[in-house]
């Protein structure tokens, strides 16, 4: 149903506004998925006005990189209303339509205002030079970029990336370091089957290349409460934003104990262990625990990350960060809640397979 609704929405949008088609990528599958996820996030946030406003503000600022202007929101709103009217025909009436129109107008106004404010202080997108490219595993690369202008962001945030090989195709990658004086950022990129941008970055990008970066987004951030110890649970390249959060904790001078459970299927996929061990050597309050799930001969902790979290003492008094594949994140959060960690102290992010 979601796929059909998204396809209908874009069909209506482009039929009425054919000039907008050039703003979107040639293949629309990923775009449809992102539309559905954004709408789902908005619905989930209806009971949290502050969270919803923050999310819509980020969307408004991010959409500037596509060339979206205030006028485009009317066309998008008309196509969205037509889509909801068609797929909710059984319950649709004038009252529901009025509510949808009002809700969309409020959301659009929030995004337009955020975009306008951002235009006064920052570019719609940044150019960034590739200054280092390390193949850490067969399908994983660590890429260091230097944006040509200052990129303001918070540890734990992510950016969208576009390569010269795939114009108008943007994919999200978490920044793997806290802000640095030299303005460089690192991305941990896993090349996935059918992943246009991830494959181009991991396999075809070279030092000296230039890529485009969208504005930083996301609400995963270092903890405000300096008194709590911290647990980080990272699956695969989900390590990236959590490593940035840990770097920020270290830079802050805090002395909270930080436990990092860093998991992968095989030991060869634990691509960042040397750097993590160097961090732990310089920051004695950091404990790094590698975890491998599909290598019986591995001489270390074995198992799936959600289960491994339950082999330690209670994490109920910790601030917890979880990032990785969606199934791992959801199961880890479920088990931590059962073990007494309040949901308000569990911060999560999902590494999407489309990357």
């Amino acid at each position: 149903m979601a796929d059909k609704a998204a396809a209908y929405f874009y069909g209506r949008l482009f039929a009425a506004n054919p000039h907008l088609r050039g703003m979107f990528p040639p293949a629309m599958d990923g775009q449809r998925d992102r539309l559905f996820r954004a709408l789902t996030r908005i619905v989930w946030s209806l009971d949290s006005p502050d969270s919803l406003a923050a999310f819509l503000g980020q969307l408004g600022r991010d959409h500037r990189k596509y060339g979206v202007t205030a006028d485009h929101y009317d066309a998008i709103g008309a196509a969205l209303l037509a889509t909801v009217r068609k797929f909710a025909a059984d319950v649709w009436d004038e009252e529901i339509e009025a509510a949808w129109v009002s809700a969309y107008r409020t959301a659009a106004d929030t995004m337009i205002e955020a975009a306008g404010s951002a235009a006064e202080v920052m570019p719609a997108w940044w150019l960034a030079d590739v200054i280092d490219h390390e193949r850490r595993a067969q399908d994983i690369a660590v890429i260091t970029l230097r944006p040509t202008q200052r990129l303001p962001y918070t540890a734990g945030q992510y950016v969208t990336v576009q390569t010269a090989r795939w114009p108008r195709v943007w994919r999200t990658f978490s920044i793997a370091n806290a802000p640095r004086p030299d303005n460089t950022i690192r991305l941990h990129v896993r090349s996935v089957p059918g992943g246009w941008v991830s494959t181009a970055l991991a396999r075809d990008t070279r030092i000296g290349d230039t890529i485009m970066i969208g504005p930083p987004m996301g609400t995963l951030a270092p903890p405000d409460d300096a008194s709590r110890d911290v647990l980080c649970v990272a699956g695969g390249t989900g390590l990236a934003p959590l490593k940035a959060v840990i770097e920020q904790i270290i830079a802050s001078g805090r002395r909270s104990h930080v436990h990092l459970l860093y998991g992968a299927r095989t030991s060869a996929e634990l691509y960042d262990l040397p750097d993590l061990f160097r961090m732990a050597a310089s920051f004695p309050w950091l404990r790094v625990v590698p975890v491998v799930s599909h290598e019986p001969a591995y001489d270390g902790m074995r198992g799936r990350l959600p289960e491994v979290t339950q082999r330690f003492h209670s994490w109920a008094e910790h601030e917890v960060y979880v990032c990785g594949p969606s199934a791992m994140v959801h199961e880890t959060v479920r088990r931590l809640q059962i073990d007494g960690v309040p949901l308000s102290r569990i911060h999560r992010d999902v590494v999407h397979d489309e990357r």
Side-chain angles (χ1 to χ4, degrees):
M1 179 66 74
D3 289 343
K4 291 181 179 179
Y8 183 85
F9 165 76
Y10 283 112
R12 288 292 298 250
L13 178 64
F14 297 148
N17 308 273
H19 62 285
L20 296 182
R21 183 63 182 89
M23 298 171 62
F24 293 83
M28 291 295 294
D29 291 348
Q31 189 70 29
R32 291 168 184 162
D33 291 343
R34 284 188 291 280
L35 170 67
F36 180 70
R37 285 201 301 270
L39 292 175
T40 301
R41 171 72 180 273
I42 290 171
V43 171
W44 283 350
S45 302
L46 288 176
D47 293 334
S48 179
D50 291 341
S51 174
L52 178 57
F55 177 66
L56 291 173
Q58 287 189 346
L59 282 183
R61 291 187 289 272
D62 184 62
H63 285 174
R64 293 174 59 225
K65 70 175 186 276
Y66 299 112
V68 174
T69 65
D71 294 341
H72 293 142
Y73 283 93
D74 290 336
I76 294 169
L80 182 61
L81 184 62
T83 302
V84 178
R85 185 188 296 120
K86 175 178 175 59
F87 286 85
D90 292 345
V91 297
W92 198 257
D93 58 28
E94 291 183 359
E95 183 178 354
I96 292 176
E97 177 158 339
W100 267 91
V101 170
S102 175
Y104 177 78
R105 188 69 264 164
T106 299
D109 287 346
T110 300
M111 296 170 70
I112 291 169
E113 181 179 354
S117 298
E120 299 175 359
V121 296
M122 67 176 64
W125 41 264
W126 284 253
L127 292 176
D129 298 324
V130 178
I131 63 173
D132 196 21
H133 188 286
E134 305 173 60
R135 290 289 293 273
R136 297 282 184 87
Q138 183 176 359
D139 59 348
I140 298 176
V142 174
I143 305 172
T144 306
L145 307 172
R146 179 179 286 119
T148 56
Q149 300 180 63
R150 189 72 189 171
L151 179 72
Y153 72 95
T154 302
Q157 288 192 302
Y158 60 88
V159 291
T160 51
V161 173
Q162 177 183 275
T163 67
R165 182 179 288 261
W166 298 111
R168 304 195 310 278
V169 179
W170 296 82
R171 293 294 182 263
T172 57
F173 297 91
S174 294
I175 300 175
N177 58 277
R180 296 172 173 174
D182 65 0
N183 196 37
T184 59
I185 63 172
R186 277 190 163 186
L187 306 180
H188 294 182
V189 180
R190 180 188 295 275
S191 174
V192 297
W196 295 1
V197 177
S198 65
T199 299
L201 287 173
R203 299 182 183 179
D204 303 320
T205 299
R206 300 290 182 266
I207 294 174
D209 289 350
T210 300
I211 66 174
M212 295 175 65
I213 297 175
M217 300 178 67
T219 57
L220 199 67
D224 294 327
D225 188 348
S227 66
R228 293 192 184 278
D229 290 337
V230 176
L231 167 67
C232 294
V233 184
T237 53
L239 170 68
L242 304 192
K243 186 178 181 183
V245 168
I246 293 171
E247 278 193 7
Q248 188 63 50
I249 292 174
I250 293 174
S252 72
R254 290 175 48 185
R255 293 297 180 264
S256 302
H257 290 274
V258 179
H259 285 76
L260 170 62
L261 304 182
Y262 171 38
R265 291 172 57 87
T266 67
S267 56
E269 295 177 86
L270 295 170
Y271 62 91
D272 208 37
L273 270 185
D275 202 33
L276 293 173
F277 285 147
R278 282 193 292 270
M279 289 174 63
S282 63
F283 185 70
W285 292 270
L286 170 62
R287 181 185 179 191
V288 177
V289 182
V291 180
V292 168
S293 60
H294 288 71
E295 188 177 324
Y298 177 67
D299 185 19
M301 186 163 292
R302 298 195 303 272
R304 296 172 59 252
L305 280 172
E307 300 162 355
V308 170
T309 61
Q310 297 182 304
R311 299 180 190 174
F312 295 80
H313 57 75
S314 172
W315 305 109
E317 298 303 319
H318 285 61
E319 206 77 21
V320 180
Y321 292 78
V322 187
C323 186
S326 58
M328 183 280 286
V329 170
H330 298 324
E331 178 63 12
T332 300
V333 171
R334 186 185 73 84
R335 289 177 181 249
L336 288 169
Q337 284 186 272
I338 291 174
D339 290 343
V341 183
L343 188 59
S344 61
R345 291 209 300 271
I346 301 177
H347 314 275
R348 71 188 85 178
D349 195 6
V350 171
V351 177
H352 299 296
D353 293 336
E354 67 178 8
R355 296 183 178 184

